[in-house]
Amino acid sequence: MEFGEMFRVIRKQKRISLQEIVGEEISYSALATFERGECMLSFENLTTLLRKLNLSLDEFYCLCSSEIIETEYEVFSKKASTYFYTRDLKQLTLLSEQQLEKYKNTNTLFYKCNAIICKVIGSLLDNKSINVSEDDKTFILDYLWNIEVWTKYELSVLNYSLPIIPIASLKNFINEIWKSLPSDFLTDKLHSYKFNLINSILSLMIEENLYKESQPWIDKIKLRLYGSQDFFSMTYLYMLELMLNKQLNPTKKLNEEFDQLKRVLKKMGAENYANHYEIEWNTIITSE
């Protein structure tokens, strides 16, 4: 996608008008011309405008070339994750309030989404003191339904919001994300992230007993991964199948199958993956 077109898509996606983003550095007509692909902007002007979209120049370039790097959002995400894993509700609440205040001052959706994300993960720690309102849920859903280009930011918002998104909507999001995956998606960080998110949604669907809906997606992924040397993705997919089998055959013992999987991985020289998934197995599946 051309620079101007990508800029226009992301600007509209964030619901920022041309009038709101232009300033002393560039005129309305010049920006409109850039978005139509009829001219280029100077390095300084493009950097300034991207800052208003909460994008670095590197991230913008990488999006246009199907790459991705760390952004301001990931700095926020690391803080939120740290507070979550240390069960620091006070700091998590403070972080949410700070993001909400930035939203009020700038009217940038980025900050409102971040504030809600803090509430979502906080409610997982204590759903009595931290409540995700129906308005918050509606805001996130409305934001995600207007996505045209799935950057890592929007994918992360969806990932963090999984606990509050209806299963029916998640099934639609899987379809939208899947359509944006190229055949060689495992060679690209952004598309690999999309793939991992699809797997997370499938895990939720299986837990919600949506077996018939889950199996076709697992079969599709298997076809995409055929011949792949990506041990991590292949093994996670295999675990999804084991989860599905566990739900469909509750009396069947699956520990032997998982032990066989570990032996195969170690034989292939992927012992780290075997160790990783042993932890995942003990967390996700409870053997009988």
Side-chain angles (χ1 to χ4, degrees):
M1 188 177 291
E2 296 295 329
F3 286 176
E5 182 183 0
M6 175 64 78
F7 185 92
R8 177 182 57 80
V9 169
I10 295 175
R11 175 182 62 76
K12 287 189 172 182
Q13 189 168 285
K14 294 178 180 295
R15 302 178 194 176
I16 300 176
S17 67
L18 281 170
Q19 291 87 345
E20 291 174 317
I21 204 168
V22 296
E24 295 181 359
E25 65 279 347
I26 187 171
S27 67
Y28 179 100
S29 59
L31 182 54
T33 303
F34 168 67
E35 290 190 350
R36 291 196 300 270
E38 297 173 3
C39 75
M40 291 296 291
L41 298 179
S42 69
F43 174 85
E44 293 78 10
N45 286 347
L46 181 57
T47 302
T48 300
L49 292 174
L50 289 174
R51 194 175 299 120
K52 296 181 180 181
L53 295 182
N54 190 43
L55 288 173
S56 68
L57 184 65
D58 286 336
E59 184 190 8
F60 179 70
Y61 175 78
C62 289
L63 284 173
C64 293
S65 59
S66 300
E67 298 284 344
I68 193 69
I69 62 167
E70 179 169 290
T71 65
E72 179 188 347
Y73 172 75
E74 292 188 344
V75 175
F76 156 82
S77 181
K78 287 178 181 178
K79 288 184 180 179
S81 297
T82 299
Y83 299 150
F84 173 76
Y85 288 116
T86 58
R87 304 186 68 83
D88 195 335
L89 281 173
K90 182 177 180 181
Q91 286 299 323
L92 201 53
T93 302
L94 179 61
L95 183 60
S96 178
E97 293 172 350
Q98 291 171 344
Q99 295 295 307
L100 190 58
E101 186 63 27
K102 289 182 178 180
Y103 168 69
K104 292 177 180 177
N105 293 335
T106 64
N107 200 35
T108 302
L109 300 184
F110 168 81
Y111 298 115
K112 179 67 176 288
C113 288
N114 290 353
I116 296 174
I117 285 171
C118 288
K119 289 184 179 181
V120 173
I121 62 177
S123 67
L124 297 177
L125 298 176
D126 186 352
N127 60 12
K128 293 182 179 179
S129 62
I130 298 182
N131 177 56
V132 183
S133 69
E134 290 302 316
D135 286 345
D136 289 336
K137 296 176 183 178
T138 300
F139 183 92
I140 289 292
L141 272 176
D142 286 346
Y143 178 81
L144 292 173
W145 279 127
N146 283 286
I147 299 304
E148 293 183 42
V149 177
W150 286 88
T151 70
K152 191 171 183 181
Y153 172 64
E154 284 75 28
L155 292 167
S156 297
V157 171
L158 175 57
N159 188 36
Y160 275 117
S161 304
L162 291 179
I164 65 169
I165 295 179
I167 289 294
S169 296
L170 289 179
K171 290 191 290 184
N172 289 326
F173 285 133
I174 278 188
N175 190 53
E176 290 300 313
I177 297 171
W178 181 262
K179 288 190 298 185
S180 69
L181 282 177
S183 57
D184 59 344
F185 65 92
L186 290 176
T187 63
D188 182 282
K189 290 182 180 179
L190 176 60
H191 294 313
S192 293
Y193 191 90
K194 293 179 182 179
F195 171 74
N196 292 332
L197 181 54
I198 287 175
N199 286 336
S200 296
I201 296 175
L202 283 174
S203 296
L204 285 177
M205 289 172 61
I206 293 172
E207 291 172 6
E208 293 294 324
N209 302 325
L210 297 174
Y211 313 131
K212 291 183 178 179
E213 293 89 340
S214 303
Q215 186 64 64
W217 282 108
I218 291 176
D219 292 339
K220 282 185 179 181
I221 295 172
K222 284 169 68 175
L223 286 175
R224 284 285 186 96
L225 289 178
Y226 182 75
S228 169
Q229 293 299 310
D230 190 297
F231 299 124
F232 190 90
S233 300
M234 292 168 64
T235 311
Y236 195 88
L237 177 63
Y238 189 80
M239 285 189 65
L240 284 177
E241 288 199 286
L242 289 180
M243 289 175 64
L244 189 58
N245 289 334
K246 182 71 172 178
Q247 298 286 2
L248 293 174
N249 305 287
T251 60
K252 183 179 179 181
K253 293 184 180 296
L254 298 173
N255 273 352
E256 290 183 7
E257 290 190 41
F258 184 67
D259 287 339
Q260 181 180 0
L261 171 63
K262 288 194 296 182
R263 287 194 295 272
V264 171
L265 284 171
K266 289 180 180 179
K267 188 176 180 180
M268 296 173 74
E271 187 169 352
N272 288 340
Y273 290 110
N275 295 334
H276 170 81
Y277 280 110
E278 184 166 17
I279 297 173
E280 289 287 319
W281 175 260
N282 292 330
T283 302
I284 298 175
I285 304 285
T286 302
S287 61
E288 302 202 359

